[in-house]
Amino acid sequence: MPSATNPVAKAQAQQLLERSLGPDAQFRPDQWEAIDALVNDQARLLLVQRTGWGKSTVYFIATKLLRDRGAGPTLIISPLLALMHNQIQDAQDDLGLDARTINSNNTEEWAETKERVRNGECDILLISPERLANREFQEDVLEPMDDDFGLLVVDEAHCISDWGHDFRPDYRRIKRILQELPDHIPVAATTATANDRVVQDVTEQVPELDVIRGQLVRDSLRIQAIELGSRAERLAWLAENITNVPTAGIIYCLTTDEVETVAAWLTRQGLTVEPYHGGMDGERRRTLEQRLLDNDVDALVATNALGMGFNKPDLGWVVHFQRPPNLIRYYQEIGRAGRGLDEAYAIVLTGEEDDRIAEYFIESAFPEPGDFETVLETLEANDEPLYKYELLQRANISWKVASKCLGILRVENAILRVDDGFTRTNKEWTYDHERIESITELRRQELAQIQAFVETDACLTKFIDDALDGTMDGPCGQCANCVGELLPTTIQDAGLITAAEDHYRAESWDTIDARYYMPSRKGGRSKIADHRKPEDGRVLCEYGAPGLGETVREEHESEAPYSDTVVSAAVQHLRTEWDPEPAPAWVTAVPAYDGSNRVETLAQAIAYRLDLPYETALRKVEPTNPQQELANSYQKRWNVEGVFEATDAVRSGPGLLVDATVNSRWTLMEAGMTLRDADSGPIYPFALGKRQRI
């Protein structure tokens, strides 16, 4: 380890910088100062610097200098392992650093990686914060290394703070590690998105962090906010304007479904675009990232899965198809653009449904107190540990909520993860109402802040800088509010809006895949016999999507019969878009949970238009709860198990089975199996709206 009598000179670091970035490379403000503090003073730093400033350059060069002097490997804790492969490859190629990772996708490499870390042959070990909870990792790596790590890097350090926009429970483990770390191990905690409140909270939770803070908003960005009423109008705007912006770019959407819809629309407009989201496997995502880096595509349409860690210096623009839920996330994502350009565009489109989506994110951020109680009580009631799926079989909570509850309860030692599931500890646990309410109120303040951002007439760049407690002392003189509109704010071709509405309608229908397995209340599952299963069906539209989807939502939530518009759209789809073989010869309806006849009336209208007989082939014999009130597939299945009975009106020919909406598919499956058990012909399920991805 270097000491004050044998300090590393800036010239040594400069040589490594030139090896990494080229002979003309120069340190940006604060970069050498950070390296100097880490290597020569074993300092503990909180680096608050904008995206693209070069935080990874600091800790990679510091790692090389420390390793050359006999220090142990660098441990990097980051939630962004999937997006750091480019930087890691550069560290290996340019600096000769041996970088390894331990994650769920490379289990075959774990043994070698652990051995190389223990033997001092690995220069950099990257892990996610969740890995810190793994007992095997603790025993095989952390405990043997003890104080032998040469540098600890905490990426996305704002996640330590309850007030950070992206708090992650497992970051509490990092806080404990930092507090117990030997004094001689330097620390680099890095973030691009910490305002004064977050910085204060992090430095209070992790004492002795020296803050190095730089200019936050990149000078090259040209920012504009454009209000457009509907998502169809936004598609039209993209079609008119996206070819006029320089180089390749990114279009951010809030949901996976929206990503797919926007990508398909722009492809039809003749652009080379690809969808990108977290549901894709890692190899596919890396291929798409490389295509964007190589300018082999005009754009990627992405969720925030394409975020921190992706570095394309010549990325010319970022368009937000929907307003993000807070200004800090917006700042993060526009930070992808303009890193190596004199000018780049950051455009946010905003409209009518943005608040609804933002409210959903706020309301679903933390499980309810009752959800935690359900998890704890369910675990306590079982003598043996439970896997997550076994918990869901016993409790009416969703997979997502269960994951959040289990994650928080594990960090707070109320439960343990053991080899065969989760088990309750003896530690008392109570819901921290004050903390959760405070954070939720902060999220609402953040929502109000970004609402004000898209509506303000003041400088947009300074608005962001002020929100992040930056140092700008006047307007930027280059955003749309300072110089006038950068890109048009209205649609020139009204026909494009109509075409976009048709696109949503065409993209919105989906297949209702027949289920193959039936869960057992006693555990396990069994295959559903082919002769009992309904056929694959169709759902007409996405519930609440522009155009028809919004009409279906409005009419479903009213008590009036479905309109001729909806019935005509259903009949048109059945006649022209779907051609099942053999074709349906009769129509029936799923009895409604509340005894109403709206679905029956809908089915009768469809049957009349198709010139097919309608039969009341099913009756309900047991009461049920509304399926949308049940949180997971197991509970939805058992809610409808055995609740239907076939009547004498069942026909032996192929039939069309109609319902209003579809979510888990269990209602249509149960109704279809009841008909098939009564010797019907093939049954084709059909629904008006899907409430979520099927």
Side-chain angles (χ1 to χ4, degrees):
M1 183 71 65
S3 66
T5 59
N6 183 30
V8 168
K10 183 177 181 180
Q12 294 172 271
Q14 177 66 35
Q15 289 177 350
L16 295 177
L17 181 70
E18 292 173 6
R19 280 175 57 180
S20 298
L21 303 179
D24 297 326
Q26 296 294 322
F27 283 115
R28 290 178 172 143
D30 297 329
Q31 282 186 319
W32 159 246
E33 288 75 11
I35 295 169
D36 181 29
L38 293 170
V39 177
N40 291 324
D41 301 328
Q42 291 82 57
R44 299 190 172 192
L45 305 179
L46 175 59
L47 298 175
V48 184
Q49 302 285 352
R50 67 175 183 264
T51 57
W53 171 80
K55 294 181 283 291
S56 62
T57 297
V58 167
Y59 53 72
F60 286 149
I61 290 179
T63 294
K64 179 64 173 174
L65 292 168
L66 288 166
R67 290 291 283 162
D68 286 348
R69 284 155 179 76
T74 290
L75 177 64
I76 300 177
I77 304 172
S78 173
L80 305 168
L81 300 187
L83 287 171
M84 292 189 69
H85 52 86
N86 289 332
Q87 292 96 316
I88 295 305
Q89 190 62 52
D90 290 343
Q92 292 173 329
D93 294 344
D94 301 332
L95 298 177
L97 294 171
D98 181 74
R100 304 290 175 124
T101 183
I102 294 178
N103 61 69
S104 57
N105 294 321
N106 69 343
T107 53
E108 71 283 355
E109 301 174 12
W110 286 8
E112 180 186 358
T113 295
K114 292 174 184 177
E115 190 66 21
R116 291 184 68 83
V117 171
R118 288 192 294 263
N119 293 340
E121 298 168 343
C122 171
D123 299 311
I124 297 172
L125 177 63
L126 294 98
I127 62 167
S128 70
E130 289 75 17
R131 184 62 48 187
L132 298 172
N134 183 277
R135 287 188 300 168
E136 182 181 356
F137 179 79
Q138 293 172 357
E139 294 170 358
D140 292 355
V141 179
L142 287 185
E143 291 176 9
M145 292 300 296
D146 194 14
D147 62 350
D148 286 340
F149 284 106
L151 171 66
L152 176 64
V153 176
V154 180
D155 195 21
E156 304 301 297
H158 61 271
C159 297
I160 292 174
S161 171
D162 286 351
W163 312 111
H165 73 285
D166 190 25
F167 171 72
R168 292 167 68 120
D170 281 280
Y171 265 77
R172 295 183 186 177
R173 303 183 194 277
I174 301 176
K175 180 177 70 175
R176 291 197 286 268
I177 289 174
L178 287 168
Q179 291 171 338
E180 297 171 2
L181 201 66
D183 292 340
H184 69 271
I185 298 180
V187 173
T190 71
T191 180
T193 53
N195 58 18
D196 286 347
R197 184 178 191 180
V198 172
V199 168
Q200 180 180 350
D201 190 28
V202 171
T203 53
E204 285 177 354
Q205 293 192 59
V206 187
E208 300 180 0
L209 283 178
D210 294 326
V211 180
I212 297 181
R213 193 168 192 167
Q215 178 183 343
L216 296 179
V217 184
R218 188 170 294 109
D219 291 338
S220 61
L221 288 179
R222 308 292 187 263
I223 304 172
Q224 183 175 10
I226 300 174
E227 183 175 358
L228 294 168
S230 70
R231 285 181 282 168
E233 289 177 84
R234 298 179 214 187
L235 287 186
W237 185 92
L238 290 175
E240 288 189 338
N241 294 282
I242 211 66
T243 56
N244 297 326
V245 289
T247 68
I250 299 171
I251 300 168
Y252 278 112
C253 300
L254 294 179
T255 67
T256 297
D257 283 344
E258 204 71 58
V259 163
E260 298 284 357
T261 298
V262 173
W265 165 259
L266 292 175
T267 298
R268 291 179 182 179
Q269 308 309 308
L271 294 170
T272 304
V273 299
E274 294 282 357
Y276 180 108
H277 51 75
M280 297 174 170
D281 64 56
E283 187 60 35
R284 175 59 178 162
R285 287 162 65 177
R286 282 190 288 274
T287 298
L288 292 172
E289 290 165 25
Q290 192 60 50
R291 290 190 66 188
L292 182 57
L293 289 168
D294 294 340
N295 292 314
D296 189 39
V297 292
D298 295 313
L300 293 183
V301 185
T303 63
N304 65 342
L306 181 62
M308 304 296 285
F310 178 77
N311 182 25
K312 177 177 168 61
D314 63 337
L315 191 80
W317 51 274
V318 168
V319 170
H320 280 80
F321 187 73
Q322 293 144 315
R323 188 193 68 213
N326 59 67
L327 197 63
I328 292 178
R329 175 165 159 184
Y330 178 67
Y331 163 75
Q332 275 189 322
E333 290 170 353
I334 65 175
R336 308 274 74 73
R339 295 183 175 187
L341 300 173
D342 293 333
E343 184 176 276
Y345 291 94
I347 311 295
V348 56
L349 307 180
T350 183
E352 57 191 18
E353 88 290 348
D354 291 347
D355 286 341
R356 176 173 56 83
I357 297 173
E359 287 287 348
Y360 168 79
F361 285 134
I362 292 172
E363 293 295 332
S364 62
F366 292 98
E368 295 292 326
D371 296 324
F372 287 100
E373 292 171 8
T374 296
V375 170
L376 292 173
E377 290 171 359
T378 304
L379 292 177
E380 288 172 351
N382 286 270
D383 295 332
E384 300 296 326
L386 296 177
Y387 289 110
K388 191 187 299 183
Y389 78 89
E390 294 174 314
L391 176 66
L392 295 177
Q393 289 176 338
R394 293 163 171 79
N396 184 33
I397 57 174
S398 71
W399 184 274
K400 182 177 180 180
V401 167
S403 298
K404 289 185 176 182
C405 288
L406 292 171
I408 291 172
L409 292 171
R410 282 180 69 196
V411 170
E412 298 182 0
N413 297 319
I415 64 173
L416 288 176
R417 174 66 187 268
V418 293
D419 291 340
D420 48 357
F422 298 91
T423 187
R424 182 73 165 96
T425 69
N426 293 325
K427 180 180 179 181
E428 291 187 11
W429 186 88
T430 57
Y431 186 87
D432 192 342
H433 286 274
E434 183 177 354
R435 171 177 164 268
I436 300 303
E437 289 171 3
S438 297
I439 296 172
T440 301
E441 176 57 28
L442 176 65
R443 298 295 177 261
R444 297 200 182 282
Q445 293 173 11
E446 291 174 341
L447 174 57
Q449 185 181 61
I450 197 166
Q451 289 170 332
F453 169 74
V454 297
E455 295 171 359
T456 186
D457 294 328
C459 174
L460 295 169
T461 308
K462 191 171 188 307
F463 192 106
I464 295 173
D465 193 73
D466 288 346
L468 293 169
D469 298 310
T471 58
M472 286 183 64
D473 55 8
C476 69
Q478 59 194 28
C479 71
N481 286 4
C482 287
V483 302
E485 69 179 43
L486 306 171
L487 293 175
T489 59
T490 57
I491 312 301
Q492 304 304 308
D493 182 359
L496 278 172
I497 301 176
T498 302
E501 291 174 346
D502 292 341
H503 174 75
Y504 268 109
R505 178 171 170 175
E507 287 290 310
S508 195
W509 75 263
D510 205 348
T511 300
I512 304 174
D513 298 318
R515 287 186 171 274
Y516 284 88
Y517 296 99
M518 184 79 70
S520 168
R521 291 180 185 267
K522 297 180 180 180
R525 63 181 186 175
S526 60
K527 187 175 180 181
I528 302 172
D530 288 342
H531 71 272
R532 296 195 67 210
K533 289 192 305 185
E535 307 301 306
D536 290 346
R538 287 286 181 93
V539 58
L540 182 61
C541 64
E542 178 188 345
Y543 192 80
L548 185 62
E550 182 59 26
T551 301
V552 168
R553 184 191 67 78
E554 291 174 353
E555 295 187 7
H556 183 74
E557 293 175 359
S558 74
E559 296 182 358
Y562 290 99
S563 67
D564 183 70
T565 298
V566 170
V567 173
S568 295
V571 170
Q572 180 182 356
H573 184 85
L574 292 165
R575 279 179 171 164
T576 64
E577 301 294 334
W578 190 22
D579 188 24
E581 182 63 36
W586 59 287
V587 180
T588 192
V590 176
Y593 79 91
D594 59 359
S596 68
N597 64 355
R598 293 183 70 214
V599 176
E600 184 177 31
T601 301
L602 168 68
Q604 289 171 338
I606 291 173
Y608 178 79
R609 299 281 189 91
L610 293 175
D611 196 23
L612 295 175
Y614 175 81
E615 301 288 357
T616 304
L618 291 167
R619 67 169 66 95
K620 199 163 178 222
V621 295
E622 296 287 344
T624 59
N625 295 313
Q627 287 287 73
Q628 62 267 27
E629 293 182 3
L630 299 170
N632 67 62
S633 181
Y634 296 109
Q635 304 302 319
K636 291 175 189 287
R637 163 64 196 140
W638 294 322
N639 183 51
V640 297
E641 185 176 23
V643 304
F644 300 124
E645 181 178 86
T647 73
D648 293 338
V650 173
R651 296 200 176 199
S652 59
L656 183 71
L657 175 64
V658 176
D659 203 353
T661 63
V662 60
N663 174 234
S664 69
R665 294 168 284 162
W666 279 122
T667 301
L668 286 167
M669 281 295 298
E670 180 69 16
M673 289 189 296
T674 302
L675 293 171
R676 295 293 281 141
D677 289 345
D679 296 326
S680 75
I683 296 297
Y684 299 100
F686 177 78
L688 295 180
K690 60 174 180 178
R691 288 186 175 271
Q692 61 183 32
R693 183 180 289 275
I694 297 173

